[in-house]
Amino acid sequence: MVKYAIITGASSGFGAAMARVLAEEGFGLILLARRVERLRALQEELTAIAPHILSYGLDVRDRTAVEQWSEQLPSSIQKNTALLVNNAGLAAGRNTLDEGSMSDWEQMIDTNLKGLLYVTKAVLPWMKDQQSGTIVNITSIAGKEAYPQGNVYCATKAAVDQLTKSMRMDLLPHGIRVSSIAPGAAETEFSLVRFKGDAAAAKAVYQGFQPLVAQDIAETLRFIVTRPSHVSIHDVVIMPSAQASATQFRRD
Ligand code: NDP
């Protein structure tokens, strides 16, 4: 019987790399993101090694859409959902609080925190029925240490860090493992999104050092999901070798 992994934010960066790794590991895949054409392209790329893939255009901020998506997912998939990767997220802008944009704040809170809650609430009953499953939340070094002008993004990731710990306690009786991966600087579309398409500003973030790449995070996920069922990896902090803390880099 095929075991399914649900990945939010699978259209880019970590999510797409994790889909490739999970396909190699034999999972069926449920790919979620707003840019459905990207998901379809990834699905086509992976079909040869992972024939059981479905893609859905879904904005995780839209609670009704998340509920509708979960209700129409075939029950054969619900019953065999083994893994949820809560990866969809973003930083929007980098400003002091007084100069920050309220719509940026709402987008980060609604995606990184509320979207994660909506999707998790939808999927949990399927795992509880099986009395097994793994949930992996993608947090950030920004959730462990604040940094200047990171305010609301740091707050959303710190919230997910705490949620992860509390979920682990709530789900202990049901045999559901809950992990988090907290990456440092990784070159994906993250900075392009943060700086609203300003490619020069995005590039400057990674100037003079070798950042993580999406595959590094995907390999971390592979390690977590291939542990035997008696092993739970609670939290992995993964940083570029040239980054010692949220703010300290060794640049050429
Ligand atoms: P990318 O911008 O490359 O990918 C972000 C993904 O999230 C995209 O697939 C995007 O899909 C999806 N997404 C964003 N908003 C929504 C939404 N409302 N509904 C559904 N999907 C959404 O960045 P990364 O791969 O780097 O980021 C992945 C996660 O890792 C994020 O949670 C980020 O905060 C976290 N992270 C990133 C770090 C980095 O340095 N890159 C460091 C630490 C953590 P689409 O636009 O198609 O909806």
Side-chain angles (χ1 to χ4, degrees), residues 9 11-12 14 34-35 59-60 87 139 153 157 183 186 188-189:
S11 61
S12 167
F14 300 169
R34 293 166 301 177
R35 289 171 293 178
D59 186 333
V60 297
N87 165 72
T139 58
Y153 178 65
K157 290 297 182 178
T188 58
E189 293 179 12

Side-chain angles (χ1 to χ4, degrees), residues 54-241:
L54 291 173
S55 303
Y56 295 89
L58 182 71
D59 186 333
V60 297
R61 294 172 296 177
D62 184 341
R63 184 170 143 186
T64 308
V66 172
E67 282 166 4
Q68 284 169 351
W69 160 77
S70 69
E71 281 161 14
Q72 59 75 61
L73 195 72
S75 69
S76 56
I77 295 178
Q78 296 180 3
K79 276 191 243 155
N80 288 293
T81 294
L83 173 64
L84 168 63
V85 186
N86 282 314
N87 165 72
L90 79 162
R94 196 167 167 184
N95 307 97
T96 56
L97 209 65
D98 54 309
E99 288 177 354
S101 139
M102 287 196 200
S103 66
D104 283 350
W105 300 348
E106 280 165 4
Q107 189 182 6
M108 289 186 277
I109 292 166
D110 290 351
T111 309
N112 301 358
L113 184 54
K114 289 166 72 181
L116 179 146
L117 289 169
Y118 299 156
V119 175
T120 306
K121 187 167 170 59
V123 170
L124 269 179
W126 311 336
M127 292 187 173
K128 280 174 93 169
D129 281 350
Q130 300 172 70
Q131 291 291 290
S132 71
T134 304
I135 299 173
V136 180
N137 294 332
I138 306 303
T139 58
S140 172
I141 188 63
K144 313 258 180 212
E145 298 171 39
Y147 56 80
Q149 303 177 344
N151 42 64
V152 175
Y153 178 65
C154 297
T156 62
K157 290 297 182 178
V160 176
D161 205 34
Q162 291 303 313
L163 260 179
T164 303
K165 292 175 197 159
S166 186
M167 280 165 62
R168 189 179 296 126
M169 294 168 188
D170 293 344
L171 297 172
L172 181 67
H174 303 288
I176 300 169
R177 303 183 293 190
V178 187
S179 303
S180 49
I181 303 175
E187 192 163 9
T188 58
E189 293 179 12
F190 178 83
S191 291
L192 205 57
V193 170
R194 174 170 233 170
F195 297 115
K196 301 175 181 167
D198 181 340
K203 202 164 186 294
V205 173
Y206 310 107
Q207 212 83 58
F209 74 100
Q210 188 174 349
L212 297 171
V213 292
Q215 190 66 20
D216 297 318
I217 309 310
E219 292 299 340
T220 306
L221 179 75
R222 190 202 302 269
F223 182 79
I224 290 171
V225 303
T226 54
R227 289 315 86 206
S229 61
H230 71 285
V231 177
S232 172
I233 306 297
H234 280 195
D235 188 25
V236 179
V237 178
I238 171 168
M239 306 286 278
S241 301

